[in-house]
Amino acid sequence: MQMIRKIVWKIAIVGMLAIIAAGCAKGDQNGNESTKGDKSKPQITISAYDAGNTPPEEGTIEKNRWVTWMSENGPTQIKVIGIPRTESVQKFNTLFASDSAPDLIQEFSGAFRNQLYDQKLILPVDEFVEKYSTTYKKLLEQYPTLKKAATMPDGKMYGFGRINGLRPHNVLMVRSDWLKKLNLSVPQTPEELILVLKAFRDQDPDGNGKKDTIALDMGSRSTQVLDSMFGNVGWTISDDKMVWDWERAKAAAAFKKQLYDEGLIDKDYLTKKGSGYMGLYAQEIIAGKIGMWGTSVHQSDIETFKALKKADPNAELQVIPLPATVFGQFSPILSNPVQITGMINANAKHPEAVMEYVDFMASKETGQTLKYGIKGEDWKEGENGCQQFINKEKTDPKIKYTAAYTMLFSPIVEGSCGQFQASLNPNDPIEKQYLELMKQAYEIYLDEKHPMPDFTHPEHIPAMPGQLQTSFNNATKNIGDIWTKAVISGNSYSIDQAFQDAKSTWDKNDGKNIEEWYAKWYQDNKTKAFFTKDFYEFKLKF
């Protein structure tokens, strides 16, 4: 109650000062009231992913035109704390340890949210939504699943989210021109996949007279696709019980070992440095040295496709279904349709102001401004009702980095206009081909008959009590190392030996109690949690 009184008192003071300041505010060029330097606004700190893609002329992820715009047009003054995209959890842990974590923590990792909840470092948001929200409250009413996804074991919401809609995430891509050249069909089984990859390795599909083709890349997406092919995702639901599936893990490792032993993948893949979301092998893909790879059909991957087409205009690609195994036929992991992306730091001085900022960022007008630029200056509505850039080349540098700020905006409120494909030009030959790849992915992977094997998206995995979670993390890391050792060790370390060592490692790390906890969690939550079977109500049409 004392905290609530303080919040109400602070809001009252802010409200009185805002009334006084309102008469002095001047309108800006977009008809909004300028509040630059307006001391009546509370200041909050927010995190923003720094992917290293902010053009120098725009400034930094902490200071740029949009940080100024959000402070001037929103309900709060904001200070941005940049978070390295690939090392976000480490950075947040450092900030919390030094008591300098932002008021609004924006992070995709469900495991990290579970950690913060377990450590009581974030606040429940139910009361703030009820008292200080309008836009976000309406979103919760329209999409009740959003509340379900944000609710933690104590029955309260510990985060804010967005509705993305269901779309493909990982895809399996093949050089279809190579299939045609070598008179090969799309592989339907693991055995047929091996035959296709051997042909890529041996029959010089690029026609350079050298045996230098990498049949399949082994970047992180490719590894994930292979695991999905065998349903190797750890926890599975079998006979209405949650179990850890060892047989799928063994089969996936045996297949990877076959790929490695027969030279169908790059044997240096474990030491190869990554190149962002393009995977390990973007340059080799562009150079036409790879026949098949795991990737996505997101905005982040179109540049690799364009570079490949520039290098080889005759290159043809195709998205293909995952081959069926004895465990079934699955799809790769899908994008999270309902995503929790923001949390309030338990030490936030103005949690009510954070809520008001969330409302501002969840609005359609704010989201479109940050995604496309200023309406009338950077874009206008086209004949189809969707955004049409006035001068895309001029606007692109302005909005290249703004995804860092739109983590609280739900693309689904824009309808079909909110999907990436709406920004592509079907009259451009290259973008038309990419649209076709996207269409293939939607048609193949959003089929409920071939679901992703995960029981839910990783961001919705439940939180175990602290020590059990630590034991689980240790076990899975060590078991992963065991399987990798088996893959690359030839005859000196067999899959059967790795299987026994993995199970022994599991037992030594409290595996029995972990299994019992998950089994009970499933029985207690099977009618309440957000499972893969629930995802398909959010399926987007292409």
Side-chain angles (χ1 to χ4, degrees), residues 228-449:
S228 292
M229 187 173 90
F230 286 91
N232 177 33
V233 292
W235 298 109
T236 60
I237 299 172
S238 177
D239 296 327
D240 199 35
K241 295 180 180 178
M242 182 76 76
V243 297
W244 186 263
D245 200 312
W246 290 102
E247 293 302 322
R248 296 182 181 196
K250 182 179 180 181
F255 187 77
K256 293 172 190 173
K257 184 176 183 67
Q258 183 179 3
L259 295 175
Y260 187 88
D261 288 346
E262 299 197 24
L264 300 175
I265 58 177
D266 180 2
K267 291 196 172 185
D268 295 326
Y269 78 96
L270 290 173
T271 57
K272 196 174 181 74
K273 297 297 183 182
S275 54
Y277 295 113
M278 303 300 113
L280 297 181
Y281 295 90
Q283 294 308 313
E284 286 91 337
I285 290 170
I286 294 167
K289 296 301 179 185
I290 296 182
M292 192 177 296
W293 61 93
T295 182
S296 83
V297 284
H298 294 169
Q299 183 174 0
S300 58
D301 294 279
I302 192 173
E303 296 306 322
T304 298
F305 177 72
K306 288 183 175 180
L308 169 62
K309 294 295 291 185
K310 182 178 181 180
D312 181 2
N314 296 317
E316 296 178 8
L317 305 185
Q318 181 180 348
V319 175
I320 63 173
L322 301 191
T325 70
V326 295
F327 305 103
Q329 185 173 22
F330 304 106
S331 292
I333 191 168
L334 304 173
S335 291
N336 188 356
V338 180
Q339 196 170 33
I340 304 305
T341 55
M343 300 158 280
I344 300 182
N345 187 337
N347 289 330
K349 293 181 180 180
H350 302 288
E352 76 290 343
V354 176
M355 180 71 256
E356 292 174 348
Y357 172 80
V358 170
D359 253 29
F360 174 67
M361 298 304 291
S363 73
K364 182 177 180 180
E365 293 76 14
T366 301
Q368 289 186 321
T369 299
L370 291 169
K371 286 177 69 175
Y372 315 123
I374 303 298
K375 187 175 183 180
E377 177 183 327
D378 297 304
W379 65 280
K380 61 183 179 180
E381 286 189 6
E383 293 181 3
N384 61 356
C386 295
Q387 66 283 349
Q388 178 181 331
F389 289 108
I390 296 171
N391 185 333
K392 193 171 188 296
E393 184 177 350
K394 179 180 178 182
T395 300
D396 272 348
K398 299 180 187 178
I399 58 174
K400 186 177 182 180
Y401 55 98
T402 56
Y405 308 124
T406 60
M407 289 176 63
L408 295 165
F409 175 62
S410 295
I412 204 165
V413 305
E414 293 185 277
S416 60
C417 295
Q419 300 181 55
F420 168 56
Q421 55 264 38
S423 68
L424 299 179
N425 181 6
N427 296 317
D428 179 287
I430 304 300
E431 293 192 358
K432 182 179 180 180
Q433 291 178 49
Y434 199 76
L435 281 167
E436 178 58 31
L437 293 174
M438 294 185 71
K439 183 179 180 181
Q440 292 171 8
Y442 274 70
E443 291 176 349
I444 294 170
Y445 298 139
L446 298 190
D447 185 349
E448 295 175 63
K449 295 178 182 178

